[in-house]
Amino acid sequence: MVVGVTPRFLAKGARSKGRKAYFRKFMPQFQQWALMKDMLNKLVLEQRVETTLPKAKELQQYAEELVFLAKKHTAYHDSQVESMLTSPEARQILYERMLPRYQDRAFHFTRVVNMFRYRFRDTAQLSLIEYIDRPGELRPANPVGAARVQHVAQEFLATRRGRRRHLNEMERILGKPGEPPLDAGVLDRCRLEVLKSSGTPLKFPEPEESEIAKTAAAVEKSEAAEANEAVEAAHDRPVHAAAAA
């Protein structure tokens, strides 16, 4: 027992299902888990649910763990996902739409927004819970993956404040092996601004040659060697003929 903390407002995890302490308790355990499964199924189907603030915070842990388990993509974790969702339509949306959407995002798939208004019949505080990175969300989420690199480059080149703010992250992006997902002109400008801001020349990794470039270089090398052999043979032929005469 944690001293000074009310147990009913602490989340324990989706696997406890209300059997441990530190869990928001709204009703008996069997009723609450059935309520959470129904709300979770509705959230996956509609991608946004309006409910009271305590229930939204309680539902958020299950919504996060649902995507986390589905991304494991093993028989054991798929069985856990099937036990948490109550309809095949919700499972189809999860595997076909949501997993490709969150392939670059490791966590934080949901958002809880306090609406700062109260329900008329019991003055319960209302809120929204929704999945992010989708059309129609309340506000854009922080990008990840290639979209994050492009966002940082755009902010870095826009203003001096952006260059001060994103300088360290841009240095890490440019220092990684391989070409970042940026246009050639934008990449050159970013390298120039990093060089001007840091004041010391950076060692950027050279771009990796593609298979076509490697093949073309090998063909050119072989053609050059054959040409050199032909020239040497042409120079040596009169000498051999004179010696034979």
Side-chain angles (χ1 to χ4, degrees):
M1 180 69 68
V2 180
V3 179
V5 180
T6 305
R8 61 177 297 187
F9 294 110
L10 294 179
K12 183 63 178 176
R15 296 186 184 87
S16 63
K17 300 183 178 62
R19 296 188 180 93
K20 303 290 181 68
Y22 316 140
F23 196 87
R24 294 182 183 87
K25 188 172 180 61
F26 308 111
M27 53 190 67
Q29 134 188 342
F30 67 95
Q31 295 181 1
Q32 179 162 335
W33 179 232
L35 172 67
M36 288 293 108
K37 287 203 298 184
D38 291 339
M39 293 182 65
L40 181 61
N41 193 80
K42 183 179 179 182
L43 177 62
V44 173
L45 290 174
E46 301 180 3
Q47 299 291 295
R48 180 188 295 171
V49 170
E50 179 179 347
T51 182
T52 60
L53 185 60
K55 287 182 180 179
K57 292 181 178 179
E58 182 68 17
L59 180 62
Q60 187 176 25
Q61 59 175 336
Y62 301 109
E64 293 281 341
E65 189 168 7
L66 180 69
V67 181
F68 177 78
L69 295 175
K71 290 177 71 174
K72 296 291 185 180
H73 202 64
T74 63
Y76 172 71
H77 296 97
D78 290 344
S79 65
Q80 286 188 316
V81 170
E82 188 173 357
S83 68
M84 296 173 70
L85 294 178
T86 59
S87 67
E89 293 82 6
R91 290 192 288 270
Q92 183 178 4
I93 292 175
L94 174 64
Y95 283 101
E96 293 184 2
R97 300 182 186 178
M98 297 175 62
L99 290 191
R101 185 198 306 169
Y102 299 129
Q103 61 181 354
D104 294 329
R105 190 177 291 277
F107 40 78
H108 297 325
F109 313 110
T110 59
R111 175 191 293 124
V112 174
V113 180
N114 189 349
M115 300 175 64
F116 293 100
R117 63 185 180 88
Y118 298 87
R119 196 161 54 189
F120 180 75
R121 68 174 186 268
D122 56 358
T123 66
Q125 196 170 7
L126 297 178
S127 66
L128 288 174
I129 178 172
E130 66 172 358
Y131 280 107
I132 61 174
D133 290 341
R134 62 178 182 84
E137 60 179 331
L138 294 177
R139 61 176 182 270
N142 292 328
V144 294
R148 175 65 183 178
V149 176
Q150 296 171 3
H151 171 74
V152 170
Q154 181 180 0
E155 295 291 328
F156 182 73
L157 296 176
T159 59
R160 288 181 294 178
R161 178 179 295 180
R163 285 189 282 276
R164 290 193 301 269
R165 181 179 180 182
H166 298 288
L167 177 61
N168 294 333
E169 187 172 1
M170 181 56 66
E171 289 179 351
R172 290 196 299 269
I173 291 173
L174 296 178
K176 292 180 180 178
E179 286 289 332
L182 298 172
D183 296 337
V186 176
L187 186 59
D188 293 339
R189 289 181 58 196
C190 290
R191 288 174 175 172
L192 178 60
E193 292 297 335
V194 167
L195 182 61
K196 289 165 57 178
S197 301
S198 61
T200 56
L202 299 177
K203 295 182 179 179
F204 301 111
E206 297 181 357
E208 298 179 356
E209 294 183 354
S210 61
E211 295 296 332
I212 299 177
K214 292 179 180 179
T215 305
V219 171
E220 291 180 359
K221 188 175 181 180
S222 61
E223 290 178 353
E226 292 177 358
N228 291 334
E229 292 178 358
V231 171
E232 292 178 359
H235 284 296
D236 294 342
R237 192 176 298 113
V239 177
H240 293 304

